[in-house]
């Protein structure tokens, strides 16, 4: 008896089909990855703006309690000479030097005293001095939300700056030197001098400006934790900062600074917060401030 043999044909992908499929997947990934990166950048920017909003609310609470915003001019009182910058003042006002709130006797001295007596831990034993805590206000923002980090956990060579807390932004450009976690760069703080109307990037005129870039120059001058230097570490580049904060609705006289009325900055009556942005460098086009611009 003759049997009919059924031929079974094995089906599968040909090499051409496989290569075509891989090419399509590659194209889709090429389209998807930039989109995901953009989503991530947008999400982080939203977080940064939210942090600025929270800090703004905290600073308004501070002003309600003490009649004014914290100063931004650096201070070097005490021995040995160390400097408390505007970034230090911001952190002290919002969370206190030790995370237990702002001491009402503080005048933001670099030595952490009222001129005679120490105000903050670890010099003050808080357990043995409960009255110290009674004289505190705040923290005006939860220390986790404030993103408070000691300067020595961001920079290796931070002398002669004070090794107390600064508030880091939401961009994780730096490795925390104790935990190795990715953390942000210090938020720069500038208080408006409402008695001055200048807006001149010339170093001779900074003290006559509504905002004085010199208040953060010691932070700007530190070597970037991941290498290099900030564009704003060069005083000749101060124009980058002053152009960034210039309010286009108040451009001033075209003849300024030779003569005429100067431009007006954003937030000329209060304060400016400044993040280095995604690249971690102060003075580049991705810097973020606590005001909205058209870019």
């Amino acid at each position: 008896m003759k049997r009919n043999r059924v031929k079974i044909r094995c089906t599968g992908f040909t090499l051409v089909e496989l290569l075509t499929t891989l090419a399509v997947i590659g194209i889709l990934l090429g389209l998807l990855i930039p989109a995901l990166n953009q989503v991530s950048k947008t999400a982080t920017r939203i977080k940064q703006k939210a942090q600025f909003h929270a800090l703004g609310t905290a600073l308004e609470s501070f002003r309600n309690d003490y009649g004014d915003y914290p100063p931004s001019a650096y201070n070097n009182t005490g021995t040995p000479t160390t400097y408390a910058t505007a970034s230090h003042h911001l952190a002290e006002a919002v969370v206190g030097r030790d995370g237990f709130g702002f001491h009402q006797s503080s005048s933001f001295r670099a030595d952490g005293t009222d001129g005679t007596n120490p105000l903050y831990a670890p010099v003050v034993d808080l357990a043995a001095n409960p009255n110290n805590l009674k004289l505190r206000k705040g923290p005006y923002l939860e220390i986790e939300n404030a993103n408070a980090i000691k300067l020595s956990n961001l920079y290796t060579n931070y002398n002669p700056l004070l090794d107390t807390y600064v508030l880091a932004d939401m961009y994780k450009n730096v490795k925390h030197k104790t935990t190795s976690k990715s953390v942000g760069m210090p938020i720069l703080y500038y208080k408006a001098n409402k008695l001055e109307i200048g807006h001149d990037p010339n170093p001779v005129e900074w003290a006559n400006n509504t905002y004085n870039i010199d208040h953060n120059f010691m932070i700007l001058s530190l070597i970037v934790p991941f290498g290099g230097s900030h564009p704003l570490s060069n005083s000749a580049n101060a124009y980058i900062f002053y152009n960034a904060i210039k309010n286009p609705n108040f451009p001033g006289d075209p003849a300024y600074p030779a003569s005429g009325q100067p431009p007006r900055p954003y937030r000329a009556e209060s304060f400016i917060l400044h993040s280095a942005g995604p690249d971690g460098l102060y003075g580049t086009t991705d810097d973020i401030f606590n005001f909205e611009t058209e870019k």
Side-chain angles (χ1 to χ4, degrees):
M1 180 177 174
K2 187 177 180 180
R3 296 182 179 179
N4 293 326
R5 294 183 178 179
V6 178
K7 292 183 178 180
I8 300 175
R9 184 181 178 185
C10 295
T11 60
F13 291 112
T14 66
L15 180 59
V16 172
E17 291 172 330
L18 183 60
L19 292 176
T20 301
T21 302
L22 291 175
V24 171
I25 292 173
I27 292 171
L28 292 175
L29 287 175
L31 296 172
L32 182 61
I33 290 175
L36 291 176
N37 287 338
Q38 186 59 45
V39 169
S40 177
K41 288 179 181 179
T42 301
T44 307
R45 184 180 180 86
I46 291 172
K47 288 181 181 178
Q48 186 55 58
K49 288 292 186 179
Q51 185 193 30
F52 278 166
H53 178 75
L55 287 173
T57 301
L59 289 171
E60 291 299 337
S61 296
F62 182 93
R63 184 170 73 104
N64 287 338
D65 284 337
Y66 295 101
D68 200 359
Y69 301 111
S72 58
Y74 61 79
N75 181 280
N76 64 343
T77 51
T79 304
T81 299
T82 52
Y83 290 83
T85 69
S87 293
H88 291 95
H89 298 336
L90 173 65
E92 181 179 350
V94 173
V95 299
R97 284 198 181 187
D98 52 11
F100 287 92
F102 178 77
H103 196 292
Q104 66 181 21
S105 296
S106 174
S107 57
F108 295 92
R109 290 170 57 101
D111 61 7
T113 74
D114 59 5
T116 304
N117 304 302
L119 304 177
Y120 295 101
V123 177
V124 177
D125 183 349
L126 294 179
N129 294 276
N131 287 334
N132 182 286
L133 290 178
K134 292 179 181 179
L135 295 173
R136 305 289 190 100
K137 290 282 190 178
Y140 291 98
L141 186 62
E142 293 289 345
I143 54 176
E144 295 82 6
N145 296 332
N147 219 11
I149 300 173
K150 278 198 170 183
L151 201 64
S152 59
N153 282 318
L154 297 175
Y155 296 90
T156 300
N157 185 11
Y158 56 87
N159 288 325
L161 302 188
L162 193 67
D163 185 22
T164 55
Y165 288 101
V166 294
L167 306 184
D169 65 21
M170 305 306 293
Y171 291 95
K172 301 183 183 300
N173 294 302
V174 187
K175 289 292 184 184
H176 192 288
K177 295 191 179 302
T178 300
T179 66
S180 295
K181 292 183 178 179
S182 295
V183 293
M185 292 289 288
I187 292 173
L188 305 184
Y189 165 71
Y190 297 90
K191 179 190 174 186
N193 183 349
K194 292 183 284 187
L195 299 179
E196 300 291 349
I197 62 170
H199 198 78
D200 193 335
N202 187 327
V204 177
E205 302 297 332
W206 288 346
N208 299 322
N209 290 343
T210 302
Y211 284 109
N212 187 345
I213 192 175
D214 192 45
H215 290 178
N216 283 292
F217 223 74
M218 299 193 78
I219 288 280
L220 293 170
S221 298
L222 294 175
I223 296 174
V224 180
F226 46 86
S229 59
H230 301 288
L232 288 182
S233 66
N234 184 343
S235 61
N237 291 334
Y239 72 91
I240 298 174
F241 171 74
Y242 286 105
N243 283 342
I245 68 170
K246 183 167 61 176
N247 190 329
N249 294 320
F250 298 91
D253 192 310
Y256 179 83
S259 63
Q261 179 181 338
R264 292 289 279 160
Y266 284 100
R267 301 183 62 88
E269 304 297 319
S270 54
F271 58 87
I272 281 177
L273 301 174
H274 180 184
S275 161
D279 66 4
L281 298 173
Y282 303 107
T284 57
T285 56
D286 68 359
D287 288 9
I288 299 176
F289 299 88
N290 61 326
F291 52 78
E292 293 296 334
T293 64
E294 295 180 357
K295 65 178 182 178

